[in-house]
Each structure stands twice: as C-alpha cells, then as structure tokens.
Amino acid sequence: MSFSSLGNKRLASDDDVTDDCAASKRQHVKAIDSGSRVSNSNSNSDHENDDDDDDDDQFEDVPDMAPPQPQSHGGYASDDSMPELGTVELTIGDDASSSNKKSAAGRSRATVSARARAVRRHQHMTELITHVLSIRILHQICMQQGSQALALSLVPRELVDIIWSHMVPGKPQIRREWAASDLRDLLFVFGNLVKPRRTRSRVPAGRCPGCLPVEDDYFRFVETRVSDKPWHRPMLLAGMLRAMSFETRLCVGVTPSPLRMTVGEAAEIDAALRNVDILIGKTASTSTSTSRKRPGRSLLPRAPSYWVEVFDAVDSKWVGLESPSKMTHPYIIAVDDHGRTLDVTRKYASDFTHTTLAQRLESVSPKTERGICTWWIRLLSRWGGDQDDERESHELQQQAIATAMPRRIADFARNPHYVLERHLRQNEIIRPRDPIVGRIRGEPVFLRENVHTLRSQLSWQRRGRTVKQGEMPSKAIGETRLFGEWQTTKTMVPPVVDGKVPRNEYGRVDLFVQSMLPPGSAHVTSVHAKRVCGVLGIDAADALVGFSYRRGAATPTLLGVVVPEESLELLNDALQNDELFQQEKAREAAEARCVSNWRRLLKALRVRAQ
C-alpha cells in the first residue's frame, strides 16, 4: 500500500516495525528510500484486529535501524546497495491535492483577456485598411498617362508596331488569336529589362507603400531599373501591359498580425495599455509586465507579395504573372483597370476552407450569407469590390464544387458547406435533416445551410420577434427553453395614442431593432433631446437600444428619445436653436476665461514691476 492510500489509517508501532525487520532478515529484504513506495508483506494478524480507538493515534517516528551486514554466500554485495532507513516523512493526500488545485487555479487564470483580443482584432483590421489603400495608390500611379508612356518607352519600337497591328477596330478575334504570342514577347522583353530580385526585401518596420514617396521612387526605378522595393517591378509590368491595352490587375498578398495570440503576447498588450509611456513610444523600462519579452514578434509588419494578373481572352480567365509559387497569405487583394478592389483569396488559397479561413476575420467576426466578413465586405464595397468578377465567378463556383468533402472529422468544424451534428453549438439545430449528403465513419453529414440558431424567448423579443402561442421549445438547456425563427412572428408594437408614447414597465421604449419603433413615433438621437422636450412639454421616452455587460452585470444602453411624430419638426427646430445657443454660450465662457487670464497676467506684471 502506498503512502497516498493510507489516509488516516493507523501506522505500525515501534515493536511491530522491529518484528517485521527481524522477519525480513530471514526472507528477501527490500527497502526503498523515503518518499518512494513502501510495502509490508509480513504484517501480523494481530495488527488487523486492533481496536478502532488506535485510529486517532498520532504518527510516530520510525526508529533508525542498521542495515544488515553483507554476507559471503549471497545477499548484499556492498553497503552502497542497501539504502539507509531513517526518519520517514509523510505527505498527507489533502496537502498534495490542495497544491494541485492551486497550480490548476493558477493555470486557469492565465488566459487571454477580452481587451487584448479586441486590440489585436483592431490591429488586424487597421493593417488591412493600410494595405488596401497602399495598393490603390500603386494602381493610381500605374494608371497615369505619364507612367504608362514611360513604361512603353522601354519596349522596342518593332514590338510595339507588331502588337498594335493586331488591334484592328471591329475585329476582336484577331487580338484574341495573337494575344498569347504578343504577351509572351512582351514578357521576354520585360525580363531582359528588369532582372528579378535575388534577395527578398522586407517592408521597413511601421511603413508601407502608402507612407513612402512612392511616385518619386517609382520614376527613379524606371530610369535606373534598380530597386529593392518589392512593388516596383509589378508596377512597371502593369503599366507596360496597360499601355499595350492588356486588361490587368495589380495584386498584393497580405498577412496581417494574427488574430490568435499566446498568453504572453496578451500580457504584453495588457501591460502596454496600462503603461502610458509605452503607448506614446517612450522607453519600456517602466513596464510592469512580468512576462518574458519577445520584442515585436507579431507586431512588426509582414512582407507582402506583389504581382500582376492579365486577362486571357481565349480561355476567359485571369492568369497570374510572376506570382509566388507558394501562396500562404490569408488575404489577396486585386485592383483592376476600372479601380475595383476585389478579394481573390479563394482563387490562390490551396486550402481556403480549412486553413485560410482560420487566419481571417471570418473566424471571429459576423459573416454574410457567402461566408465573408461583413466588415471586410463593407470596406471593399467602397470601391465596388463587394461582388466577384462575373468572368471569374464561374471559375470560383467550379472550384468550390470541386472541393471534396473533408476526410477528417476535425475539418468539418470550420467547413462552410458541410457539418456534423457533433460540431453544433448548444443553441444550434439542423432543420430539416434532409438531405444527408454523405457519411463519415457511419456519422451522417448535413448541409451547413440547414443549421439554424435557437434563442430564448427574451432573446427573440430583443430582436423584434415574439414566440407563437402554443409552440413547444425546439431544445432546452437546463431551464432555458430555446426556439427557432420559424416559431416566431414579428412583434406587434402598440402605436402612439393622443401624443403619448407607449412605454415598458421601466418607463422606456425597447428599440433593439428599428422594427420595434412604435407606429406614429420618431427616434431622435440627440443628447439634448430629452431636456428640450421637457422645456417644450413634448412627451418623450428614453430609447433602450441594448445592454452592455461588464463583470457579469448588465447595464442598459440608452440612445436618444422616442417622441410623437407630429412633434418631430418642432423638436428639430428647437434642437438647432439650442445648439446655436450652446455654441454661443461656450464662446462667451471662453472669452471670459481669456479676459480673466489676461487680467491676472497684467496684475502679476504690475506687481513685479513695483
């Protein structure tokens, strides 16, 4: 029996130990040093029949015992082979378990904070914005007539005449027939003009093409054709192709700061947020972070990759020129001749579903029906990039169809097309369960589009929907009953009657979504609206637009007031007048403060002069 299994059982007395040692001399003697496993095989039966009163006795020290002497006919070879038996120290199981609990509690506290995750997500988005703007700056330089004329001057005159002879107005088939050979000759000339870079240059820390004097550097590169900037060579090729009427796209592969981070990186971010000196760029010697420093391992910009795509009119597809052989960037952005900024990552990613998506914003942000991050779509829609190229959409669809069903069960967790029931969240359900598109190890595979999110009755009310009468919950988690959207209807909000806005039991208007606005009312978001309504005698109720959760407590979020629609015009006029009055009042206060400061200064100078 080991020490950990003894618990509060009685230990043998001194006499018992002596008897056992005497018996062990006649048999095989085996002793293990303190702290290891000790067994007693020759205990007397009298010990097992002792009274229970001895169970509460205190632990006794085992007396020192001399080891047996070595024997010539066998036994121990030397004194070293027989360990000494001294005082045995016991560690009760409660102490060990408590230490394990403390260590486990320490490990559980070492987590990534929500604030650090938000900072890293915003950093990720900021880098994306920077790279999108920088590639658009490069595109605008390539589209300048002077830039294209300078690139065209590097092409031999004979080749220019040959290519232009294939551009017969009204006969596009001639251009299509000679496009491949013309492009091959043009690329051969370009390869002789500008040699590829032997070493991979990196973007200076904290800088990007949009932060540098790109235009001057580019024109200097065209003259000397010597540069260490990774975007100069693709810019010259794009300008040359566009000058020869080839439809091109300027592409960049971007790898922003990873969204996932270690606990040490999160601790450094938290410490930097608490330390003002680090935020303003001073020395970090006063940092209170106790984690091991890894200076800027994930905060430095990663080197982007630049290349050019040209449209192949024969096969009706875009072909990459001098694109990287191994594409690992989670974002690939392209700008075409019309200035549209597109996301072409699906075209180049070898495993977009299982690998690339885990590095993009789609893994931590809301997604559209197409599975793309809504924020990313809104950013690209500023330049017409919210939709795929029509000529390329068919290729992307065929590529998605050709993507085989995952062969590993773990890959179904992030697959946008297929799902296993084991990977559903607690508040998700498959409806309908048909069709079953396949099986893996006997487990049915369903379509991801049939997965629906279940919510509680209160959660549906905050989304402007009410659970139908008599509906049974689709799922229950403990005492929380969950319903699907097909079990709800749009909430009927009572209208404004006699200039009185309907309120909830707390005297507010629930306005979580716009459909919850009472008929005949208007929502005014001005912070001074409630005060002005009190002066004018207009009935106004605070608009409750949500809740903010901090440390487990929910705090209502109020935004403006809800007023009757017939009083909206009067309230807007009063708010404009109140704003002008507040501005005039602030100006007068500033003037009074300025006059007071000058008065104090003059008095101080007068006193000093005396």
Side-chain angles (χ1 to χ4, degrees):
M1 182 181 296
S2 61
F3 282 149
S4 60
S5 63
L6 288 177
N8 295 325
K9 291 186 177 181
R10 178 184 57 83
L11 296 182
S13 61
D14 294 344
D15 297 336
D16 298 335
V17 174
T18 306
D19 294 341
D20 291 341
C21 290
S24 64
K25 291 180 180 180
R26 295 186 299 269
Q27 300 178 2
H28 178 68
V29 179
K30 183 177 182 180
I32 301 177
D33 201 1
S34 62
S36 42
R37 188 174 180 179
V38 178
S39 63
N40 252 335
S41 61
N42 296 320
S43 297
N44 296 330
S45 60
D46 297 337
H47 299 161
E48 298 178 357
N49 298 327
D50 285 347
D51 297 333
D52 295 339
D53 298 335
D54 296 336
D55 292 344
D56 298 332
D57 293 343
Q58 299 294 330
F59 292 150
E60 300 176 356
D61 293 335
V62 179
D64 295 340
M65 295 176 290
Q69 298 297 326
Q71 303 175 5
S72 59
H73 60 275
Y76 299 110
S78 64
D79 293 338
D80 297 336
S81 62
M82 178 62 186
E84 295 182 0
L85 293 178
T87 302
V88 179
E89 297 182 0
L90 301 180
T91 301
I92 306 303
D94 295 340
D95 296 337
S97 62
S98 61
S99 62
N100 293 336
K101 291 180 180 179
K102 291 181 180 179
S103 61
R107 289 194 300 269
S108 63
R109 287 194 298 267
T111 57
V112 179
S113 64
R115 191 179 183 187
R117 286 195 297 266
V119 169
R120 178 56 63 86
R121 184 170 64 253
H122 292 155
Q123 178 185 356
H124 187 97
M125 298 162 68
T126 302
E127 293 179 9
L128 281 179
I129 295 175
T130 304
H131 284 288
V132 169
L133 296 179
S134 65
I135 192 64
R136 289 192 58 82
I137 292 175
L138 302 182
H139 158 74
Q140 292 174 2
I141 296 176
C142 295
M143 291 300 295
Q144 295 177 4
Q145 293 183 357
S147 176
Q148 294 184 9
L150 193 59
L152 186 60
S153 65
L154 302 178
V155 183
R157 180 67 181 179
E158 296 79 7
L159 181 58
V160 174
D161 294 338
I162 293 174
I163 295 177
W164 279 355
S165 65
H166 299 155
M167 302 178 187
V168 181
K171 296 182 179 180
Q173 66 277 7
I174 299 179
R175 178 62 186 273
R176 286 197 297 267
E177 293 175 359
W178 292 93
S181 61
D182 293 344
L183 181 60
R184 183 171 56 253
D185 296 340
L186 196 59
L187 291 178
F188 177 78
V189 172
F190 178 79
N192 293 331
L193 288 174
V194 183
K195 298 297 182 182
R197 292 177 289 108
R198 297 299 181 186
T199 58
R200 184 181 180 184
S201 62
R202 296 189 60 86
V203 179
R207 309 188 78 182
C208 63
C211 308
L212 301 172
V214 185
E215 193 168 356
D216 296 340
D217 279 357
Y218 172 69
F219 289 137
R220 191 180 303 111
F221 160 72
V222 175
E223 294 176 0
T224 61
R225 292 189 288 280
V226 176
S227 175
D228 60 347
K229 303 299 188 299
W231 52 84
H232 281 169
R233 181 181 172 89
M235 286 178 64
L236 181 59
L237 179 58
M240 189 178 296
L241 293 174
R242 289 172 178 176
M244 302 301 296
S245 300
F246 283 94
E247 192 172 358
T248 61
R249 293 196 306 201
L250 189 61
C251 303
V252 58
V254 180
T255 303
S257 298
L259 294 169
R260 297 182 180 181
M261 70 190 87
T262 63
V263 177
E265 293 173 347
E268 292 179 9
I269 294 178
D270 292 334
L273 293 175
R274 292 191 299 266
N275 195 321
V276 180
D277 293 338
I278 295 180
L279 291 179
I280 62 177
K282 293 184 179 180
T283 178
S285 59
T286 59
S287 173
T288 59
S289 175
T290 58
S291 61
R292 186 173 58 183
K293 294 295 181 180
R294 288 190 294 265
R297 181 176 65 86
S298 60
L299 300 182
L300 291 178
R302 316 291 174 75
S305 302
Y306 297 87
W307 69 93
V308 178
E309 284 185 343
V310 62
F311 184 72
D312 186 0
V314 177
D315 297 334
S316 297
K317 65 177 184 180
W318 291 93
V319 180
L321 303 178
E322 299 185 349
S323 58
S325 57
K326 186 178 180 181
M327 195 67 62
T328 59
H329 298 288
Y331 297 91
I332 300 177
I333 310 164
V335 183
D336 60 13
D337 296 340
H338 305 287
R340 290 199 310 161
T341 306
L342 306 172
D343 183 2
V344 295
T345 312
R346 293 176 181 268
K347 175 182 176 181
Y348 287 93
S350 58
D351 191 3
F352 181 82
T353 302
H354 304 138
T355 305
T356 307
L357 274 179
Q359 306 174 32
R360 290 168 57 101
L361 283 169
E362 284 81 0
S363 60
V364 295
S365 301
K367 299 181 287 292
T368 62
E369 296 180 355
R370 295 192 300 157
I372 307 299
C373 175
T374 54
W375 175 87
W376 181 238
I377 287 294
R378 288 198 306 269
L379 177 64
L380 297 181
S381 63
R382 296 174 177 267
W383 304 285
D386 52 341
Q387 298 293 334
D388 296 330
D389 194 321
E390 296 179 358
R391 297 169 295 185
E392 198 172 29
S393 58
H394 179 70
E395 179 183 353
L396 295 177
Q397 291 176 1
Q398 295 298 327
Q399 183 178 353
I401 295 174
T403 302
M405 186 179 298
R407 298 182 179 180
R408 298 188 308 168
I409 291 181
D411 293 339
F412 281 92
R414 297 190 301 268
N415 193 283
H417 305 293
Y418 308 104
V419 65
L420 298 179
E421 196 166 10
R422 67 166 67 185
H423 293 144
L424 296 181
R425 298 178 181 177
Q426 287 186 333
N427 62 333
E428 290 182 341
I429 192 174
I430 299 176
R431 183 180 183 272
R433 298 183 66 86
D434 294 330
I436 297 178
V437 295
R439 291 182 180 273
I440 178 171
R441 298 180 184 176
E443 188 172 354
V445 180
F446 302 94
L447 294 176
R448 176 74 68 174
E449 60 187 18
N450 292 338
V451 177
H452 301 275
T453 302
L454 304 178
R455 294 182 174 89
S456 64
Q457 189 171 0
L458 179 60
S459 180
W460 281 120
Q461 289 178 359
R462 293 178 179 177
R463 284 166 172 80
R465 305 191 68 85
T466 304
V467 178
K468 299 177 183 178
Q469 292 290 339
E471 288 287 344
M472 298 298 295
S474 298
K475 186 182 290 187
I477 302 177
E479 298 181 357
T480 304
R481 298 182 300 172
L482 303 179
F483 301 87
E485 188 175 2
W486 63 90
Q487 298 177 291
T488 63
T489 57
K490 187 178 179 180
T491 303
M492 302 301 297
V493 183
V496 176
V497 179
D498 298 332
K500 297 294 183 180
V501 178
R503 295 168 168 82
N504 58 13
E505 59 271 20
Y506 299 101
R508 301 164 180 162
V509 175
D510 295 334
L511 197 59
F512 301 106
V513 292
Q514 193 63 25
S515 61
M516 300 180 67
L517 185 67
S521 64
H523 183 207
V524 182
T525 59
S526 176
V527 295
H528 306 293
K530 189 171 184 179
R531 176 176 54 81
V532 175
C533 288
V535 175
L536 298 178
I538 300 175
D539 184 60
D542 294 328
L544 177 63
V545 296
F547 290 90
S548 60
Y549 299 91
R550 184 180 179 86
R551 296 180 181 178
T555 304
T557 302
L558 305 178
L559 179 62
V561 295
V562 177
V563 298
E565 195 171 9
E566 59 267 15
S567 304
L568 180 61
E569 184 177 357
L570 176 63
L571 179 59
N572 288 335
D573 295 339
L575 286 174
Q576 292 180 2
N577 295 333
D578 181 74
E579 184 178 0
L580 295 176
F581 174 75
Q582 294 295 336
Q583 292 177 358
E584 182 66 20
K585 187 176 179 181
R587 187 183 63 81
E588 292 178 356
E591 291 180 356
R593 186 168 57 253
C594 182
V595 171
S596 175
N597 292 338
W598 276 106
R599 184 179 295 109
R600 291 175 56 189
L601 176 61
L602 293 176
K603 287 183 178 180
L605 293 176
R606 187 181 305 157
V607 170
R608 181 175 299 179
Q610 292 177 356

